[in-house]
């Protein structure tokens, strides 16, 4: 077909994922596959997720609102679009910050609202104005400090957050932090210019930023 295919992967439900170099190649493949396969198989482009935001430190009164009340109040008090077909806005989940006892709310929003919210950095909700930031879900293990799994499922002995060695952080005698993830990446790929002098959960860690950028690539920042 003369189309640049980058990967072919079979997944558990019997579907096949085919990767292409760009959107033009993807549309060529989709059209050719539909023509060739007719009605035998369903051919579709996987949907990517909408942007998500986090409302930080919500107080008791607002925390007691249900999901519909939160969405209605946010749209009314901040002149936000209510969304539409294919652009559903919703509360993903709410959780309590154990450090201050206040609630954080994770919301899915459409692209137009996302841009306006991130630009202002604040949202009115109830009788308060709250800090807002983009939310990208990253799972990091608190046992080995690797990514992609939780401590409850970790099969490793455990590593120090500060230096990466196999001991508790309170037992660490290192004076300078050494990131275990950046150290492993440096050794595996023979990289010599990686900054490793930070703790494993530093939000400026090159490994963390790389994973964040990968996850952002799965988000639809433009309305279609």
């Amino acid at each position: 077909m003369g189309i640049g295919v980058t990967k072919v992967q079979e997944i558990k439900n019997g579907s096949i994922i085919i990767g292409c170099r760009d959107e033009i190649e993807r549309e060529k493949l989709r059209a050719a596959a539909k023509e060739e396969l007719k009605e035998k198989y369903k051919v579709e482009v996987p949907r990517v997720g909408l942007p998500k935001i986090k409302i930080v430190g919500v107080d008791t009164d607002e925390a007691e609102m249900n999901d519909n009340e939160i969405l209605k109040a946010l749209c009314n008090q901040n002149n936000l679009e209510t969304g539409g077909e294919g652009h559903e806005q919703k509360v993903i989940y709410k959780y309590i910050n154990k450090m201050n006892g206040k609630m954080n709310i994770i919301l899915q929003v459409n692209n137009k609202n996302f841009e306006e919210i991130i630009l202002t950095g604040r949202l009115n909700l109830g009788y308060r104005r709250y800090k807002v930031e983009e939310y990208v879900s990253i799972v990091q293990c608190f046992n080995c400090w690797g990514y992609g799994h939780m401590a409850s499922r970790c099969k490793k002995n455990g590593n120090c957050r500060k230096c990466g060695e196999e001991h508790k952080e309170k037992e660490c005698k290192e004076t300078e932090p050494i990131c275990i993830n950046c150290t492993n990446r440096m050794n595996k790929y023979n990289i010599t210019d990686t900054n490793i002098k930070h703790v494993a959960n530093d939000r400026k860690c090159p490994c963390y930023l790389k994973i964040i950028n990968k996850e952002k690539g799965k988000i639809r920042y433009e309305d279609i």
Side-chain angles (χ1 to χ4, degrees):
M1 289 187 290
I3 297 172
V5 173
T6 58
K7 73 171 183 177
V8 177
Q9 179 183 351
E10 184 175 353
I11 55 180
K12 290 182 180 179
N13 64 1
S15 299
I16 296 175
I17 296 175
I18 303 175
C20 298
R21 286 193 298 249
D22 52 42
E23 291 186 12
I24 295 175
E25 298 284 273
R26 183 191 69 192
E27 289 306 309
K28 286 182 182 178
L29 177 62
R30 184 163 71 98
K34 289 186 77 170
E35 175 66 26
E36 184 71 23
L37 300 174
K38 305 296 182 184
E39 301 298 322
K40 292 181 181 179
Y41 298 94
K42 184 178 181 181
V43 180
E44 61 183 8
V45 177
R47 288 187 61 182
V48 291
L50 288 171
K52 297 179 181 67
I53 61 167
K54 177 167 71 173
I55 305 177
V56 181
V58 177
D59 283 330
T60 306
D61 291 345
E62 288 74 35
E64 291 178 350
M65 299 168 69
N66 64 41
D67 292 358
N68 288 333
E69 289 171 338
I70 289 171
L71 288 172
K72 184 176 180 180
L74 287 172
C75 289
N76 290 340
Q77 292 183 241
N78 300 277
N79 298 318
L80 299 177
E81 287 187 349
T82 57
E85 186 177 354
H87 303 291
E88 296 84 1
Q89 300 183 116
K90 58 185 177 181
V91 176
I92 303 297
Y93 65 93
K94 299 174 279 191
Y95 67 95
I96 301 296
N97 184 332
K98 294 180 180 179
M99 298 293 290
N100 58 24
K102 294 187 176 183
M103 180 176 284
N104 293 337
I105 302 175
I106 309 301
L107 292 165
Q108 174 180 283
V109 297
N110 67 28
N111 180 57
K112 185 175 186 297
N113 286 344
F114 175 77
E115 290 180 350
E116 293 178 357
I117 292 167
I118 294 301
L119 183 63
T120 59
R122 300 276 174 177
L123 278 177
N124 299 317
L125 179 61
Y127 293 100
R128 294 170 179 81
R129 188 167 174 81
Y130 292 104
K131 177 184 176 184
V132 178
E133 57 192 41
E134 181 177 8
Y135 177 79
V136 181
S137 179
I138 301 295
V139 178
Q140 184 172 24
C141 175
F142 293 157
N143 182 52
C144 73
W145 298 103
Y147 292 98
H149 67 276
M150 296 183 291
S152 59
R153 299 192 175 188
C154 186
K155 298 180 180 179
K156 296 184 179 179
N157 293 330
N159 300 90
C160 174
R161 181 183 71 103
K162 183 178 178 182
C163 74
E165 296 296 328
E166 291 188 0
H167 58 242
K168 302 291 184 182
E169 185 175 348
K170 62 183 180 182
E171 302 169 356
C172 188
K173 294 181 172 58
E174 293 291 336
T175 56
E176 283 190 338
I178 302 172
C179 175
I180 184 173
N181 295 314
C182 289
T183 300
N184 290 341
R185 181 169 172 259
M186 179 180 69
N187 293 334
K188 182 177 181 179
Y189 299 110
N190 195 27
I191 299 172
T192 58
D193 59 350
T194 295
N195 172 24
I196 64 172
K197 293 186 178 181
H198 52 268
V199 294
N201 63 340
D202 191 314
R203 289 300 175 252
K204 294 182 180 179
C205 168
C207 288
Y208 173 78
L209 295 176
K210 185 176 180 65
I211 293 170
I212 282 285
N213 288 333
K214 182 179 179 180
E215 290 302 309
K216 284 186 175 182
K218 302 174 184 178
I219 299 171
R220 188 176 75 224
Y221 288 104
E222 293 182 1
D223 290 337
I224 298 173

